[in-house]
Amino acid sequence: MSSIEANIGQSCHTSERTSHHSEKTKQNLQSRLNRIEGQVRGIKGMIEKDAYCDEVLNQIASIQSALNSVGKILLEGHMKSCVIERIQEGDHAVIDEILTTMNKLMK
């Protein structure tokens, strides 16, 4: 059983939905987001120093890729826990919810 599956016990469909990530997953996500935050600050510095546009654009592409990775981790955990749990409980509205979310991620 994966760490994601081990955390399914927490409710995903209450009026105040909360995440269900293990501490290891949270630390991984926080570490990734801290790096992304640093990259964004780096781009600000590059612009202040009039860095060559292509270099800035390459850094932006790197940040977008890093954010996509964070999104994939969150999406996988969500689908393996909350979505499955809600479908098993007969709440099929979660399918429309996840489709809307995926459309936003793919823009």
XYZ file of all heavy atoms in Angstrom:
829
model
N 0.848 -1.168 0.000
C 0.000 0.000 0.000
C 0.896 1.235 0.000
O 1.818 1.346 0.767
C -0.906 -0.016 1.240
C -1.805 1.178 1.303
S -2.876 1.315 2.775
C -3.467 -0.299 3.043
N 0.590 2.188 -0.889
C 1.395 3.403 -0.959
C 1.032 4.339 0.179
O -0.001 4.186 0.831
C 1.161 4.109 -2.295
O -0.103 4.739 -2.303
N 1.898 5.325 0.410
C 1.613 6.299 1.463
C 0.356 7.094 1.138
O -0.368 7.509 2.030
C 2.807 7.229 1.664
O 3.073 7.951 0.482
N 0.090 7.280 -0.148
C -1.123 8.004 -0.546
C -2.340 7.172 -0.179
O -3.294 7.656 0.414
C -1.103 8.324 -2.055
C -0.003 9.344 -2.355
C -2.451 8.839 -2.521
C 0.245 9.588 -3.817
N -2.302 5.892 -0.503
C -3.438 5.027 -0.202
C -3.631 4.862 1.296
O -4.755 4.705 1.770
C -3.230 3.662 -0.856
C -3.264 3.718 -2.367
C -2.742 2.456 -3.028
O -1.898 1.771 -2.434
O -3.198 2.172 -4.146
N -2.564 4.936 2.066
C -2.649 4.777 3.515
C -3.386 5.939 4.167
O -3.869 5.821 5.284
C -1.251 4.662 4.111
N -3.496 7.043 3.478
C -4.128 8.228 4.042
C -5.561 8.430 3.571
O -6.141 9.478 3.766
C -3.298 9.467 3.698
C -1.982 9.458 4.424
O -1.957 9.423 5.642
N -0.904 9.470 3.684
N -6.144 7.429 2.948
C -7.493 7.556 2.414
C -8.529 7.741 3.518
O -9.551 8.347 3.300
C -7.853 6.345 1.527
C -7.015 6.376 0.267
C -9.324 6.322 1.180
C -7.214 5.204 -0.650
N -8.248 7.298 4.707
C -9.212 7.347 5.792
C -9.749 8.720 6.101
O -10.844 8.854 6.612
N -9.021 9.759 5.805
C -9.483 11.104 6.092
C -10.561 11.496 5.085
O -10.441 11.232 3.908
C -8.311 12.083 6.000
C -8.467 13.260 6.882
C -7.165 14.040 6.957
O -6.113 13.586 6.576
N -7.284 15.234 7.451
N -11.593 12.128 5.529
C -12.720 12.449 4.670
C -12.367 13.500 3.621
O -11.750 14.502 3.914
C -13.886 12.951 5.512
O -14.970 13.241 4.685
N -12.806 13.244 2.392
C -12.528 14.149 1.279
C -13.776 14.875 0.810
O -13.710 15.691 -0.082
C -11.969 13.358 0.098
S -10.442 12.517 0.452
N -14.904 14.568 1.377
C -16.137 15.122 0.832
C -16.934 15.940 1.848
O -18.102 16.201 1.635
C -17.001 13.997 0.258
C -17.421 12.999 1.291
N -16.574 12.028 1.727
C -18.571 12.849 1.969
C -17.201 11.294 2.637
N -18.413 11.776 2.797
N -16.299 16.363 2.898
C -17.004 17.183 3.877
C -17.144 18.588 3.337
O -16.526 18.953 2.344
C -16.240 17.225 5.210
O -14.946 17.787 4.968
C -16.107 15.843 5.804
N -17.942 19.406 3.995
C -18.120 20.776 3.529
C -16.810 21.554 3.593
O -16.588 22.457 2.796
C -19.215 21.479 4.340
O -18.836 21.511 5.709
N -15.953 21.207 4.530
C -14.626 21.812 4.602
C -13.610 20.757 4.222
O -13.099 20.037 5.063
C -14.343 22.352 6.009
C -15.111 23.607 6.327
C -14.568 24.292 7.556
O -13.355 24.229 7.815
O -15.382 24.888 8.262
N -13.355 20.663 2.944
C -12.431 19.645 2.455
C -11.010 19.990 2.868
O -10.601 21.142 2.842
C -12.522 19.536 0.944
C -13.869 19.031 0.493
C -13.918 18.922 -0.998
N -15.284 18.585 -1.383
C -15.847 18.970 -2.495
N -15.190 19.703 -3.349
N -17.064 18.625 -2.768
N -10.268 18.981 3.226
C -8.868 19.163 3.579
C -8.042 18.145 2.806
O -8.564 17.162 2.288
C -8.633 18.953 5.091
O -9.043 17.631 5.440
C -9.394 19.979 5.911
N -6.750 18.397 2.750
C -5.874 17.445 2.065
C -5.651 16.236 2.959
O -6.004 16.224 4.129
C -4.548 18.108 1.702
O -3.805 18.373 2.870
N -5.035 15.255 2.396
C -4.849 13.988 3.072
C -3.443 13.473 2.847
O -3.211 12.280 2.812
C -5.874 12.984 2.529
C -5.863 12.999 1.028
N -6.629 13.891 0.332
C -5.137 12.323 0.125
C -6.378 13.730 -0.956
N -5.479 12.787 -1.114
N -2.505 14.376 2.652
C -1.143 14.005 2.294
C -0.343 13.545 3.514
O -0.494 14.085 4.599
C -0.418 15.190 1.647
C -1.169 15.792 0.520
N -1.401 15.124 -0.665
C -1.761 17.002 0.390
C -2.099 15.903 -1.466
N -2.331 17.041 -0.852
N 0.518 12.586 3.275
C 1.436 12.154 4.323
C 2.440 13.274 4.581
O 2.609 14.181 3.754
C 2.176 10.886 3.884
O 3.069 11.195 2.823
N 3.112 13.191 5.696
C 4.129 14.205 6.015
C 5.241 14.192 4.966
O 5.748 15.239 4.589
C 4.693 13.982 7.419
C 3.777 14.474 8.517
C 3.385 15.948 8.376
O 4.281 16.794 8.162
O 2.186 16.245 8.469
N 5.597 13.008 4.493
C 6.641 12.896 3.466
C 6.221 13.614 2.187
O 7.013 14.335 1.580
C 6.939 11.416 3.183
C 8.034 11.197 2.171
C 8.301 9.713 1.965
C 9.360 9.500 0.897
N 9.610 8.093 0.638
N 4.980 13.426 1.776
C 4.468 14.086 0.574
C 4.427 15.592 0.772
O 4.827 16.355 -0.120
C 3.077 13.549 0.206
O 3.164 12.134 -0.030
C 2.516 14.232 -1.023
N 3.952 16.038 1.934
C 3.914 17.480 2.217
C 5.308 18.079 2.141
O 5.505 19.150 1.562
C 3.331 17.748 3.606
C 1.843 17.673 3.692
C 1.423 18.111 5.088
C 0.057 17.643 5.439
N -0.353 18.062 6.778
N 6.278 17.403 2.742
C 7.649 17.909 2.729
C 8.193 17.969 1.306
O 8.859 18.933 0.929
C 8.550 17.046 3.614
C 8.270 17.209 5.088
C 9.027 16.205 5.956
O 9.716 15.327 5.453
N 8.892 16.342 7.267
N 7.886 16.957 0.505
C 8.309 16.932 -0.889
C 7.710 18.119 -1.648
O 8.419 18.838 -2.363
C 7.901 15.604 -1.540
C 8.271 15.502 -3.001
O 9.081 16.259 -3.536
N 7.672 14.539 -3.673
N 6.412 18.328 -1.482
C 5.741 19.432 -2.171
C 6.279 20.782 -1.705
O 6.517 21.679 -2.522
C 4.229 19.346 -1.953
C 3.521 18.167 -2.615
C 2.088 18.062 -2.119
C 3.575 18.277 -4.128
N 6.464 20.936 -0.410
C 6.987 22.194 0.117
C 8.393 22.466 -0.400
O 8.719 23.601 -0.760
C 6.957 22.190 1.646
C 5.548 22.278 2.197
C 5.484 22.049 3.699
O 6.394 21.504 4.302
N 4.378 22.468 4.302
N 9.203 21.443 -0.480
C 10.563 21.593 -0.994
C 10.536 22.029 -2.460
O 11.262 22.950 -2.865
C 11.318 20.270 -0.847
O 12.589 20.357 -1.425
N 9.689 21.394 -3.245
C 9.555 21.765 -4.657
C 9.075 23.206 -4.797
O 9.589 23.963 -5.622
C 8.577 20.823 -5.365
C 9.114 19.426 -5.568
C 8.010 18.491 -6.069
N 8.475 17.150 -6.249
C 8.890 16.636 -7.410
N 8.867 17.386 -8.494
N 9.307 15.397 -7.489
N 8.086 23.575 -3.991
C 7.547 24.938 -4.076
C 8.562 25.977 -3.599
O 8.621 27.076 -4.147
C 6.241 25.038 -3.289
C 5.075 24.266 -3.933
C 3.903 24.176 -2.965
C 4.655 24.891 -5.247
N 9.367 25.632 -2.623
C 10.428 26.546 -2.191
C 11.434 26.791 -3.312
O 11.884 27.919 -3.521
C 11.139 26.021 -0.946
C 10.299 26.153 0.304
O 9.389 26.975 0.381
N 10.576 25.327 1.288
N 11.788 25.713 -4.047
C 12.705 25.871 -5.173
C 12.086 26.745 -6.252
O 12.745 27.606 -6.831
C 13.089 24.512 -5.748
C 14.168 23.806 -4.957
C 14.764 22.631 -5.714
N 13.791 21.614 -6.092
C 13.451 20.572 -5.346
N 13.996 20.404 -4.160
N 12.568 19.708 -5.769
N 10.799 26.521 -6.527
C 10.100 27.323 -7.536
C 10.075 28.783 -7.115
O 10.326 29.680 -7.931
C 8.667 26.771 -7.762
C 8.743 25.397 -8.432
C 7.829 27.744 -8.579
C 7.436 24.618 -8.410
N 9.791 29.026 -5.845
C 9.784 30.398 -5.329
C 11.150 31.057 -5.545
O 11.237 32.206 -5.975
C 9.424 30.377 -3.846
C 9.279 31.741 -3.224
C 8.885 31.646 -1.761
O 9.080 30.584 -1.118
O 8.373 32.655 -1.246
N 12.211 30.312 -5.295
C 13.554 30.841 -5.526
C 13.805 31.125 -6.992
O 14.440 32.129 -7.345
N 13.305 30.257 -7.869
C 13.465 30.476 -9.301
C 12.731 31.745 -9.745
O 13.238 32.498 -10.577
C 12.941 29.276 -10.091
C 13.815 28.048 -10.002
C 13.194 26.880 -10.747
O 12.139 26.373 -10.347
N 13.838 26.466 -11.824
N 11.549 31.976 -9.199
C 10.791 33.181 -9.550
C 11.559 34.424 -9.104
O 11.680 35.398 -9.851
C 9.365 33.147 -8.945
C 8.662 34.492 -9.099
C 8.542 32.032 -9.586
N 12.111 34.378 -7.887
C 12.928 35.512 -7.431
C 14.136 35.704 -8.343
O 14.534 36.828 -8.624
C 13.368 35.300 -5.981
C 12.276 35.601 -4.961
C 12.824 35.703 -3.534
N 13.577 34.531 -3.127
C 13.069 33.460 -2.541
N 11.786 33.400 -2.283
N 13.833 32.442 -2.205
N 14.696 34.600 -8.818
C 15.830 34.681 -9.738
C 15.457 35.372 -11.038
O 16.232 36.176 -11.571
N 14.282 35.081 -11.540
C 13.821 35.737 -12.772
C 13.649 37.231 -12.544
O 14.011 38.040 -13.397
C 12.511 35.098 -13.290
C 12.796 33.719 -13.860
C 11.849 35.977 -14.342
C 11.566 32.969 -14.300
N 13.085 37.595 -11.390
C 12.946 39.022 -11.083
C 14.312 39.694 -11.127
O 14.467 40.781 -11.681
C 12.288 39.217 -9.718
C 10.801 38.909 -9.710
C 10.208 38.986 -8.320
C 10.231 40.385 -7.772
N 9.627 40.489 -6.430
N 15.319 39.040 -10.548
C 16.671 39.587 -10.558
C 17.226 39.676 -11.964
O 17.912 40.643 -12.313
N 16.941 38.665 -12.780
C 17.413 38.680 -14.162
C 16.823 39.861 -14.920
O 17.522 40.530 -15.698
C 17.043 37.373 -14.872
C 17.778 36.156 -14.353
S 17.178 34.613 -15.089
C 17.936 34.718 -16.719
N 15.556 40.124 -14.702
C 14.907 41.243 -15.395
C 15.487 42.566 -14.918
O 15.747 43.466 -15.728
C 13.373 41.168 -15.227
C 12.848 39.962 -16.033
C 12.692 42.463 -15.653
C 11.401 39.641 -15.824
N 15.707 42.685 -13.610
C 16.318 43.907 -13.072
C 17.700 44.155 -13.679
O 18.099 45.294 -13.875
C 16.437 43.817 -11.551
C 15.109 43.933 -10.823
C 15.221 43.637 -9.334
O 16.347 43.471 -8.818
O 14.163 43.550 -8.686
N 18.420 43.064 -13.986
C 19.778 43.179 -14.531
C 19.792 43.153 -16.055
O 20.847 43.015 -16.666
C 20.655 42.059 -13.980
C 20.865 42.150 -12.488
C 21.636 40.955 -11.975
C 21.754 41.020 -10.459
N 22.322 39.796 -9.904
N 18.606 43.270 -16.664
C 18.485 43.269 -18.124
C 19.098 42.036 -18.774
O 19.798 42.110 -19.785
C 19.099 44.548 -18.728
C 18.349 45.800 -18.317
O 17.104 45.736 -18.254
O 18.997 46.826 -18.041
N 18.831 40.875 -18.207
C 19.336 39.621 -18.763
C 18.749 39.403 -20.152
O 17.664 39.889 -20.483
C 18.970 38.453 -17.852
N 19.472 38.665 -20.945
C 19.044 38.344 -22.303
C 17.695 37.615 -22.247
O 17.508 36.684 -21.452
C 20.112 37.466 -22.969
C 19.880 37.177 -24.422
C 19.772 38.210 -25.354
C 19.782 35.863 -24.873
C 19.571 37.933 -26.691
C 19.590 35.581 -26.210
C 19.482 36.617 -27.117
O 19.287 36.339 -28.449
N 16.763 38.043 -23.077
C 15.383 37.535 -23.036
C 15.308 36.018 -23.127
O 14.512 35.389 -22.431
C 14.559 38.150 -24.163
S 14.330 39.925 -24.002
N 16.130 35.410 -23.981
C 16.087 33.970 -24.142
C 16.426 33.249 -22.836
O 15.834 32.218 -22.513
C 17.043 33.532 -25.259
C 16.840 32.091 -25.643
O 15.705 31.729 -26.030
O 17.813 31.314 -25.520
N 17.359 33.799 -22.076
C 17.716 33.208 -20.780
C 16.547 33.281 -19.809
O 16.276 32.328 -19.080
C 18.941 33.907 -20.205
C 20.208 33.684 -21.005
C 21.375 34.523 -20.514
O 21.291 35.105 -19.414
O 22.376 34.576 -21.247
N 15.854 34.412 -19.807
C 14.686 34.572 -18.926
C 13.585 33.605 -19.344
O 12.971 32.938 -18.496
C 14.174 36.033 -18.945
C 12.902 36.169 -18.124
C 15.248 36.993 -18.455
N 13.349 33.500 -20.634
C 12.312 32.595 -21.125
C 12.631 31.140 -20.785
O 11.724 30.365 -20.446
C 12.134 32.765 -22.639
C 11.516 34.105 -23.047
C 11.657 34.318 -24.545
C 10.064 34.195 -22.619
N 13.891 30.763 -20.849
C 14.274 29.405 -20.466
C 14.013 29.160 -18.983
O 13.590 28.057 -18.595
C 15.747 29.135 -20.800
C 15.944 28.876 -22.277
O 15.114 28.253 -22.922
N 17.040 29.375 -22.820
N 14.243 30.152 -18.163
C 13.951 30.018 -16.736
C 12.445 29.901 -16.494
O 12.008 29.130 -15.635
C 14.534 31.194 -15.944
C 16.033 31.150 -15.821
C 16.501 29.887 -15.125
O 15.999 29.509 -14.076
N 17.466 29.214 -15.725
N 11.666 30.652 -17.249
C 10.203 30.561 -17.138
C 9.743 29.161 -17.512
O 8.893 28.559 -16.827
C 9.517 31.638 -18.001
C 9.749 33.026 -17.382
C 8.018 31.346 -18.163
C 9.313 34.178 -18.262
N 10.297 28.596 -18.581
C 9.943 27.234 -18.996
C 10.287 26.231 -17.890
O 9.526 25.287 -17.635
C 10.659 26.874 -20.296
N 11.410 26.450 -17.235
C 11.820 25.565 -16.142
C 10.826 25.632 -14.986
O 10.456 24.605 -14.403
C 13.221 25.969 -15.664
O 13.605 25.208 -14.565
N 10.377 26.826 -14.662
C 9.402 27.002 -13.582
C 8.072 26.346 -13.952
O 7.447 25.675 -13.121
C 9.206 28.490 -13.249
C 10.469 29.044 -12.598
C 7.990 28.705 -12.355
C 10.477 30.561 -12.460
N 7.650 26.525 -15.192
C 6.392 25.908 -15.623
C 6.468 24.385 -15.515
O 5.520 23.738 -15.051
C 6.050 26.330 -17.055
C 5.596 27.773 -17.141
C 5.426 28.259 -18.570
O 6.140 27.846 -19.474
N 4.481 29.165 -18.758
N 7.595 23.824 -15.889
C 7.781 22.382 -15.779
C 7.740 21.937 -14.318
O 7.117 20.917 -13.976
C 9.121 21.989 -16.415
O 9.360 20.618 -16.259
N 8.385 22.696 -13.453
C 8.394 22.367 -12.026
C 6.984 22.449 -11.439
O 6.578 21.592 -10.636
C 9.353 23.289 -11.278
N 6.223 23.463 -11.821
C 4.841 23.581 -11.349
C 3.986 22.431 -11.871
O 3.133 21.893 -11.138
C 4.231 24.916 -11.778
C 4.608 26.119 -10.936
C 4.122 27.410 -11.600
C 4.052 26.002 -9.532
N 4.221 22.027 -13.112
C 3.491 20.875 -13.656
C 3.781 19.619 -12.851
O 2.878 18.805 -12.614
C 3.845 20.662 -15.131
C 3.200 21.691 -16.036
O 2.223 22.339 -15.677
N 3.770 21.860 -17.213
N 5.011 19.452 -12.424
C 5.369 18.287 -11.607
C 4.627 18.297 -10.277
O 4.143 17.264 -9.821
C 6.881 18.247 -11.359
O 7.563 17.981 -12.566
N 4.546 19.462 -9.651
C 3.788 19.589 -8.404
C 2.323 19.234 -8.656
O 1.708 18.486 -7.892
C 3.928 21.009 -7.801
C 2.943 21.225 -6.661
C 5.355 21.255 -7.336
N 1.776 19.757 -9.749
C 0.388 19.468 -10.095
C 0.141 17.986 -10.310
O -0.883 17.445 -9.874
N 1.078 17.301 -10.959
C 0.928 15.864 -11.202
C 0.902 15.082 -9.894
O 0.113 14.149 -9.732
C 2.062 15.357 -12.089
C 1.936 15.782 -13.530
C 3.152 15.323 -14.324
C 3.167 15.917 -15.710
N 4.406 15.552 -16.446
N 1.769 15.457 -8.970
C 1.800 14.780 -7.673
C 0.465 14.974 -6.949
O -0.116 14.023 -6.417
C 2.967 15.300 -6.812
C 4.306 14.876 -7.426
C 2.845 14.803 -5.369
C 5.509 15.593 -6.828
N -0.021 16.212 -6.934
C -1.297 16.491 -6.265
C -2.459 15.787 -6.951
O -3.337 15.221 -6.290
C -1.535 18.002 -6.224
C -0.641 18.779 -5.272
C -0.762 20.279 -5.521
C -0.991 18.451 -3.837
N -2.466 15.797 -8.277
C -3.545 15.163 -9.022
C -3.576 13.659 -8.775
O -4.640 13.068 -8.554
C -3.397 15.457 -10.515
C -4.459 14.880 -11.438
C -5.845 15.416 -11.083
C -4.111 15.203 -12.891
N -2.410 13.037 -8.783
C -2.340 11.590 -8.526
C -2.900 11.253 -7.143
O -3.719 10.339 -6.999
C -0.899 11.092 -8.629
C -0.782 9.610 -8.338
C 0.647 9.101 -8.365
O 1.568 9.852 -8.720
O 0.838 7.924 -8.008
N -2.460 11.984 -6.143
C -2.950 11.733 -4.789
C -4.443 11.952 -4.680
O -5.156 11.173 -4.030
N -4.930 12.995 -5.314
C -6.360 13.311 -5.275
C -7.182 12.200 -5.931
O -8.195 11.752 -5.385
C -6.603 14.652 -5.970
C -8.013 15.116 -5.940
N -8.737 15.259 -4.765
C -8.852 15.479 -6.933
C -9.951 15.702 -5.052
N -10.047 15.831 -6.367
N -6.716 11.745 -7.083
C -7.467 10.715 -7.795
C -7.423 9.373 -7.064
O -8.419 8.637 -7.048
C -6.953 10.582 -9.222
C -7.289 11.817 -10.048
S -6.767 11.701 -11.744
C -8.069 10.663 -12.385
N -6.282 9.059 -6.432
C -6.148 7.778 -5.750
C -6.838 7.759 -4.392
O -6.955 6.704 -3.783
C -4.669 7.431 -5.567
C -4.011 6.995 -6.849
C -2.577 6.596 -6.604
C -1.940 6.035 -7.857
N -0.538 5.643 -7.616
N -7.269 8.913 -3.921
C -7.908 8.929 -2.613
C -9.299 9.547 -2.711
O -10.289 8.828 -2.748
C -7.037 9.658 -1.593
O -6.791 10.984 -2.011
N -9.376 10.843 -2.751
C -10.667 11.530 -2.688
C -11.621 11.122 -3.810
O -12.800 10.852 -3.556
C -10.467 13.045 -2.727
S -9.630 13.690 -1.281
N -11.119 11.099 -5.030
C -12.000 10.793 -6.155
C -12.547 9.366 -6.025
O -13.756 9.147 -6.152
C -11.271 11.007 -7.499
C -12.127 10.533 -8.667
C -10.914 12.489 -7.669
N -11.667 8.415 -5.751
C -12.117 7.024 -5.599
C -13.109 6.904 -4.445
O -14.164 6.270 -4.577
C -10.913 6.082 -5.395
C -10.140 5.953 -6.699
C -11.370 4.720 -4.883
C -8.844 5.191 -6.584
N -12.779 7.532 -3.323
C -13.654 7.454 -2.152
C -15.040 8.012 -2.466
O -16.056 7.390 -2.136
C -13.023 8.231 -1.001
C -13.855 8.258 0.265
C -13.209 9.099 1.353
O -11.982 9.003 1.542
O -13.946 9.857 2.003
N -15.073 9.162 -3.115
C -16.370 9.785 -3.406
C -17.177 8.970 -4.410
O -18.402 8.856 -4.285
C -16.165 11.222 -3.856
C -15.737 12.108 -2.666
C -15.399 13.517 -3.056
N -16.544 14.196 -3.654
C -16.456 15.397 -4.231
N -15.305 16.034 -4.268
N -17.520 15.954 -4.771
N -16.519 8.387 -5.398
C -17.237 7.529 -6.353
C -17.800 6.308 -5.638
O -18.953 5.926 -5.860
C -16.325 7.125 -7.525
C -16.056 8.340 -8.423
C -16.945 5.982 -8.336
C -14.994 8.112 -9.489
N -17.000 5.692 -4.767
C -17.459 4.517 -4.017
C -18.655 4.852 -3.140
O -19.491 3.991 -2.868
C -16.322 3.943 -3.181
C -15.258 3.260 -4.005
C -14.041 2.835 -3.201
O -13.783 3.332 -2.103
N -13.271 1.923 -3.754
N -18.744 6.099 -2.705
C -19.869 6.521 -1.876
C -21.056 6.994 -2.715
O -22.055 7.461 -2.178
C -19.426 7.630 -0.918
C -18.447 7.127 0.127
C -17.912 8.229 1.026
O -18.233 9.415 0.784
O -17.176 7.891 1.962
N -20.931 6.900 -4.045
C -22.031 7.265 -4.927
C -22.038 8.722 -5.349
O -22.976 9.154 -6.014
N -21.025 9.474 -4.996
C -20.950 10.891 -5.355
C -20.249 11.032 -6.705
O -19.053 11.213 -6.779
C -20.187 11.666 -4.273
C -20.118 13.155 -4.559
O -20.660 13.602 -5.587
O -19.502 13.868 -3.741
N -21.032 10.936 -7.765
C -20.459 10.985 -9.112
C -20.222 12.407 -9.603
O -19.622 12.600 -10.665
C -21.335 10.193 -10.079
C -21.363 8.730 -9.739
N -20.398 7.851 -10.154
C -22.217 8.007 -8.974
C -20.649 6.653 -9.681
N -21.753 6.717 -8.956
N -20.628 13.408 -8.842
C -20.339 14.800 -9.196
C -18.836 15.059 -9.166
O -18.345 15.984 -9.809
C -21.058 15.749 -8.240
N -18.107 14.226 -8.441
C -16.658 14.379 -8.355
C -16.015 14.225 -9.734
O -14.956 14.800 -9.994
C -16.042 13.404 -7.328
C -16.089 11.967 -7.823
C -14.616 13.798 -6.994
N -16.638 13.485 -10.626
C -16.086 13.310 -11.968
C -16.079 14.632 -12.715
O -15.073 14.998 -13.327
C -16.854 12.220 -12.743
C -16.642 10.868 -12.045
C -16.410 12.164 -14.205
C -17.509 9.760 -12.553
N -17.177 15.368 -12.655
C -17.215 16.691 -13.289
C -16.207 17.630 -12.643
O -15.540 18.420 -13.319
C -18.618 17.296 -13.206
C -19.604 16.582 -14.110
O -19.169 16.039 -15.159
O -20.800 16.564 -13.772
N -16.080 17.533 -11.324
C -15.122 18.366 -10.594
C -13.695 18.103 -11.074
O -12.940 19.029 -11.363
C -15.239 18.076 -9.099
C -14.261 18.837 -8.237
C -14.380 18.412 -6.779
O -15.368 18.782 -6.127
O -13.468 17.682 -6.311
N -13.324 16.833 -11.195
C -11.957 16.497 -11.600
C -11.728 16.854 -13.063
O -10.622 17.277 -13.436
C -11.602 15.022 -11.286
C -10.092 14.799 -11.355
C -12.293 14.052 -12.194
C -9.297 15.468 -10.297
N -12.738 16.712 -13.907
C -12.598 17.111 -15.312
C -12.381 18.614 -15.435
O -11.541 19.064 -16.227
C -13.819 16.671 -16.123
C -13.938 15.165 -16.365
C -15.276 14.833 -17.005
C -12.776 14.669 -17.219
N -13.096 19.390 -14.660
C -12.910 20.847 -14.658
C -11.497 21.194 -14.210
O -10.824 22.028 -14.821
C -13.945 21.517 -13.725
O -15.265 21.224 -14.230
C -13.744 23.019 -13.662
N -11.046 20.537 -13.155
C -9.701 20.783 -12.645
C -8.652 20.413 -13.688
O -7.690 21.166 -13.909
C -9.471 20.001 -11.343
O -10.414 20.462 -10.375
C -8.063 20.191 -10.819
N -8.818 19.261 -14.342
C -7.849 18.836 -15.335
C -7.815 19.790 -16.534
O -6.753 20.080 -17.073
C -8.145 17.403 -15.779
C -7.842 16.394 -14.689
S -8.273 14.699 -15.103
C -7.057 14.363 -16.356
N -8.971 20.305 -16.919
C -9.005 21.290 -18.004
C -8.236 22.545 -17.638
O -7.542 23.124 -18.475
C -10.450 21.634 -18.387
C -11.086 20.575 -19.240
O -10.419 19.920 -20.041
N -12.389 20.399 -19.083
N -8.349 22.972 -16.394
C -7.597 24.140 -15.952
C -6.095 23.867 -15.966
O -5.292 24.721 -16.335
C -8.028 24.541 -14.535
C -9.414 25.143 -14.464
C -9.788 25.438 -13.029
C -11.219 25.933 -12.937
N -11.623 26.143 -11.526
N -5.700 22.660 -15.553
C -4.285 22.299 -15.532
C -3.688 22.219 -16.932
O -2.501 22.465 -17.116
C -4.078 20.965 -14.821
C -4.176 20.980 -13.300
C -4.172 19.551 -12.759
C -3.039 21.775 -12.701
N -4.508 21.876 -17.908
C -4.003 21.665 -19.259
C -4.029 22.919 -20.120
O -3.689 22.856 -21.298
C -4.804 20.546 -19.941
C -4.574 19.210 -19.315
S -5.525 17.987 -20.210
C -5.077 16.519 -19.337
N -4.418 24.042 -19.582
C -4.447 25.291 -20.373
C -3.059 25.704 -20.756
O -2.092 25.502 -20.129
C -5.115 26.401 -19.585
C -6.608 26.304 -19.607
C -7.215 27.523 -18.962
C -8.714 27.480 -19.087
N -9.332 28.628 -18.483
